[in-house]
Amino acid sequence: MCLFLFSVAFSNLAIPQQAQPVGNTSLETFATLHKESCHRLEYLVERQKQLCILSDKMIQVLQTGAMQAVEECQHQFRHSRWNCSTVENSTDIFGGVLKFKSRESAFVHALSSAALAHAVARACSRGELNECSCDARVRKRTPRHWQWGGCSEDIRYGEMYSRDFVDSKEDKNSDEGLVNLHNNEAGRRAVRSRMQRVCKCHGMSGSCSVRVCWRRLPQLRLVGDALTTRYEGASHVKVSSMVVERKRGKNIRKLRPVHSDMKKPNKTDLVYLEESPDYCEPNEELGILGTKGRTCNRTSAGLDGCRLLCCGRGYQTRVRDHEEKCRCRFVWCCKVHCEVCRFKRDHHVCN
């Protein structure tokens, strides 16, 4: 499971900030404290602790990636019955929801691995990490009408670190581990396939005689949008084994659709093993809040509509007072004066 990544985001990590060194003793003391801090993170497996020890700055990058993943998850699911709500004072940030091998679990795994790869690649290009910088390998290509330059963000290193850190938690010999590894990789591919080429013109009088280009990471929102589309079309799979003779009788485990008439999932699809739990009613054990009290859209036929979001229980309409700026005008120079308009608005709340 990827819950450890979100635990990093919400934990109070007492990793000391590096002080100005006064001789070798200060460096040795800092290294010892950092090593001890990494070992105290009990939710990390041994390989993750090793990666933590290697870089004192990577923990902050992990926290950034995890927080961005939570925020993006909550944005993408803001209109759904399960709105990616978090549970306070728990190592299971999403409660017990991710204990189900459902399509929601698939989305969270893909998004968390994508967000980590994204955060690491961005930190590399900003010079925040000593282990990496800009991606110089793209400069080996020689296009006709433009040339590589600038600082291409190194998604290869971001993917490599995400794969090393996130995937080390999974057991590829278990059904759940095989599915999680597939979804982790699908998340990273969603970032890589949306890398953008950005160019800037150089030349006399705007002639653009030389065009210098570099590769830039996509906004995480674009990645979240793409994974949400994959979530909606996620494949219900089972794990099947087959013996391959050319592998000297080795048993190969593959993900297959539950129903034979369904399309075999490719490497960018999200996959799940179990149907989702009921998100309509509260479930304290799983950390599910239910949809009672959620605001719904009476005129929408989508997931945010009152019929679907309220699970057929109906809704109440409440009138609330609102204030907003209105009749704004520009006054020379240089102010904008606005009036405050008060009006009533209907709010529809699920029973």
Side-chain angles (χ1 to χ4, degrees):
M1 298 294 285
C2 63
L3 291 175
F4 66 94
L5 183 57
F6 297 107
S7 298
V8 171
F10 292 91
S11 296
N12 180 18
L13 302 175
I15 294 180
Q17 299 297 316
Q18 188 168 6
Q20 293 295 326
V22 183
N24 293 333
T25 304
S26 296
L27 291 174
E28 291 173 359
T29 301
F30 174 79
T32 301
L33 291 173
H34 174 69
K35 185 175 181 180
E36 291 175 354
S37 298
C38 291
H39 281 298
R40 282 202 299 268
L41 303 179
E42 297 178 356
Y43 43 79
L44 300 184
V45 297
E46 191 58 36
R47 176 55 182 164
Q48 292 166 341
K49 290 179 181 179
Q50 291 173 4
L51 291 171
C52 173
I53 293 170
L54 289 175
S55 174
D56 58 293
K57 297 179 181 178
M58 189 60 80
I59 284 293
Q60 282 71 35
V61 178
L62 288 170
Q63 287 182 300
T64 299
M67 290 296 294
Q68 289 176 342
V70 172
E71 292 170 1
E72 185 60 28
C73 181
Q74 292 179 344
H75 171 80
Q76 296 293 340
F77 283 80
R78 65 194 184 281
H79 298 314
S80 301
R81 290 176 178 174
W82 181 67
N83 57 359
C84 207
S85 53
T86 57
V87 178
E88 295 182 359
N89 301 322
S90 172
T91 55
D92 292 346
I93 301 303
F94 298 116
V97 170
L98 299 190
K99 292 178 181 178
F100 285 83
K101 308 172 191 67
S102 63
R103 63 176 69 221
E104 288 77 29
S105 178
F107 178 85
V108 171
H109 276 85
L111 180 61
S112 62
S113 62
L116 179 55
H118 190 279
V120 170
R122 179 140 292 172
C124 290
S125 64
R126 290 176 176 174
E128 297 172 1
L129 298 172
N130 297 327
E131 297 81 8
C132 57
S133 58
C134 301
D135 187 359
R137 282 169 290 191
V138 295
R139 300 187 184 186
K140 295 179 181 179
R141 307 173 190 171
T142 54
R144 291 183 179 178
H145 305 295
W146 49 275
Q147 64 185 31
W148 288 110
C151 180
S152 292
E153 293 179 295
D154 196 350
I155 186 56
R156 289 188 182 90
Y157 186 85
E159 282 186 306
M160 182 188 70
Y161 191 92
S162 174
R163 192 174 293 112
D164 197 2
F165 191 91
V166 177
D167 291 5
S168 62
K169 191 82 172 181
E170 305 297 344
D171 177 11
K172 65 180 180 180
N173 294 316
S174 70
D175 291 1
E176 182 179 5
L178 195 62
V179 165
N180 290 345
L181 288 171
H182 176 100
N183 292 321
N184 290 347
E185 188 62 28
R188 291 185 285 263
R189 285 173 180 262
V191 182
R192 187 202 316 161
S193 63
R194 286 163 181 80
M195 291 290 289
Q196 303 164 348
R197 192 181 76 195
V198 183
C199 298
K200 185 176 182 180
C201 283
H202 298 273
M204 297 293 291
S205 302
S207 63
C208 201
S209 57
V210 177
R211 197 155 56 115
V212 178
C213 303
W214 61 94
R215 298 185 75 204
R216 184 175 66 188
L217 286 165
Q219 294 293 321
L220 193 60
R221 178 58 41 81
L222 294 177
V223 178
D225 291 342
L227 291 177
T228 298
T229 301
R230 296 292 183 183
Y231 159 85
E232 293 167 353
S235 300
H236 191 181
V237 297
K238 60 183 177 181
V239 179
S240 61
S241 299
M242 57 185 294
V243 177
V244 182
E245 291 299 332
R246 58 188 176 86
K247 295 283 188 179
R248 298 181 180 178
K250 185 177 181 181
N251 194 30
I252 305 297
R253 305 173 73 249
K254 295 284 187 180
L255 298 176
R256 304 291 184 190
V258 169
H259 304 291
S260 58
D261 58 340
M262 296 176 63
K263 179 182 76 72
K264 180 182 177 181
N266 60 37
K267 293 182 179 180
T268 62
D269 289 330
L270 299 188
V271 297
Y272 64 97
L273 291 169
E274 299 175 344
E275 295 293 347
S276 303
D278 178 21
Y279 297 119
C280 290
E281 301 297 332
N283 186 320
E284 187 175 343
E285 182 180 352
L286 297 179
I288 296 174
L289 303 178
T291 63
K292 182 178 181 180
R294 292 273 300 276
T295 299
C296 61
N297 185 343
R298 186 179 62 180
T299 61
S300 173
L303 294 174
D304 62 330
C306 293
R307 186 177 66 84
L308 290 178
L309 188 60
C310 300
C311 305
R313 297 188 305 267
Y315 61 92
Q316 299 177 16
T317 300
R318 301 171 183 173
V319 180
R320 294 181 180 175
D321 293 325
H322 285 265
E323 293 184 354
E324 67 179 29
K325 293 181 179 180
C326 63
R327 293 189 284 273
C328 297
R329 60 188 183 278
F330 179 74
V331 179
W332 185 267
C333 174
C334 301
K335 296 180 181 179
V336 176
H337 286 300
C338 297
E339 298 180 21
V340 176
C341 294
R342 295 176 175 83
F343 59 94
K344 297 183 182 296
R345 179 181 293 172
D346 289 344
H347 279 255
H348 311 292
V349 181
C350 292
N351 290 328

